Amino acid sequence: MGPDGVVIVDKPAGLTSHTVVSRIRKLAGTRRVGHGGTLDPMATGVLVIGVEKATRLLGHLALTTKTYQATVRLGQSTVTDDAEGEVTATASAAGVTREALDAAVARLTGDILQVPSKVSAIKVDGKRSYRRVLDGEDVELAARPVTVSSFEVHAVREAVADDGTALLDVDVTVGCSSGTYIRALARDLGADLGTGGHLTALRRTRVGPYDIEQARTLEELAESFAVLPIGQAASEAFPRWDVSAEQARRLINGVRQKAPGLGAGPIAVFGPEDRFIALVEERRGETKILAGFVS
C-alpha cells in the first residue's frame, strides 16, 4: 500500500495525464492513484495526483480555479484549436492592432458562455466528442457558462506561415474556472478578430492552492518519491475546522453536527492530534459528510 497524499507533478509535453498516473503508480507502489484535472498531451505544468486515500480529495480539488500561461497564434485555425491539428483556414493578422486585441480579450473576460473544443472528452450520446470528430462526424457542442477571472496579454510577436501569411503570436496568462478550455479561448479570440486562432503552447501554473513552484518533474520523483501528506494537502485546499474528540467520534459515526459557519464548499475537519477526519459541507445549518478519511 502506498502513502496517503498528494503529488504535484510538473507534467512534460508529449505525455497524457493517464501516462503520468501510470508512472506514479509504479513509484508509489499502488494502483490507487488518480489525477485531479486532465492536461492535454501538448500541455505542461501542474497536474495534481492523489495517492491512496487522497484520491477522494480529487473530485473536490477539480472544482477550483486554475491559471495558465499560453501562446495564441492569430491567423490560422486548426481542426483541434491547437497546434496538433491540421490547419483549416488562414487569414492575415497583419491588420490586428493592439487596441483591437485588447478589446477582444476584454470581451472574453468575466462570466462568459463558451463552446468547448470539438476534440474535447465531452460525451455526446455516450461517445467522446473527439472520437466523433476523428470518425469524420460534424459535432456541435452546447455552450457552457465559465468564468475567466483574468486574461492578460504579455507580448505580441510577428510570425509568418509557410504560405507567407502574416501571423501574430500572443503570449497570455489566463485565470479561470474549472471547465474552461484555453484552446476554445484561442479559437474565439481569433474568430472575434477575423483572423482565426489556435493554441501553440500551454502551461498550467496553478490549480487551486497548488502552484508550479511546488511541482516536481517525473525525473525528480523517480530519484526521491514523496507525497504531500493528506492532512496538509486538505489544509491548503479547504477551510479548516478543528473539533473535539467527541465531535470527531460523532462525525465518524455519521452523526450530523452543528455547522461551523465557514461558508459554502468543502471544509476539512481535523480531530485531536491533528488527525484529518473528513471533508464536510454545510447544509441547513448542519454538516454533511462529503468524504471520510478514517478507516
Side-chain angles (χ1 to χ4, degrees), residues 45-170:
V46 176
L47 184 65
V48 179
I49 304 289
V51 179
E52 291 292 347
K53 291 180 182 178
T55 56
R56 302 178 199 168
L57 292 175
L58 296 178
H60 306 289
L61 293 173
L63 300 176
T64 57
T65 57
K66 302 174 183 180
T67 304
Y68 297 88
Q69 294 175 348
T71 299
V72 178
R73 173 157 286 185
L74 298 176
Q76 292 178 325
S77 301
T78 72
V79 68
T80 58
D81 300 327
D82 64 23
E84 295 190 329
E86 179 183 353
V87 174
T88 57
T90 59
S92 175
V96 176
T97 65
R98 181 58 190 261
E99 291 74 20
L101 174 61
D102 287 343
V105 165
R107 286 189 286 272
L108 289 170
T109 305
D111 295 327
I112 64 173
L113 289 175
Q114 183 185 74
V115 177
S117 174
K118 293 182 179 181
V119 290
S120 67
I122 293 172
K123 287 188 176 181
V124 180
D125 295 330
K127 186 177 179 180
R128 301 289 185 187
S129 179
Y130 70 85
R131 288 293 182 192
R132 292 185 178 276
V133 172
L134 291 175
D135 290 341
E137 298 182 40
D138 185 18
V139 178
E140 293 295 333
L141 298 177
R144 298 181 172 197
V146 299
T147 299
V148 179
S149 54
S150 62
F151 195 169
E152 301 175 7
V153 175
H154 300 294
V156 181
R157 303 183 304 280
E158 295 181 353
V160 180
D162 292 340
D163 64 1
T165 300
L167 308 173
L168 287 179
D169 285 338
V170 184

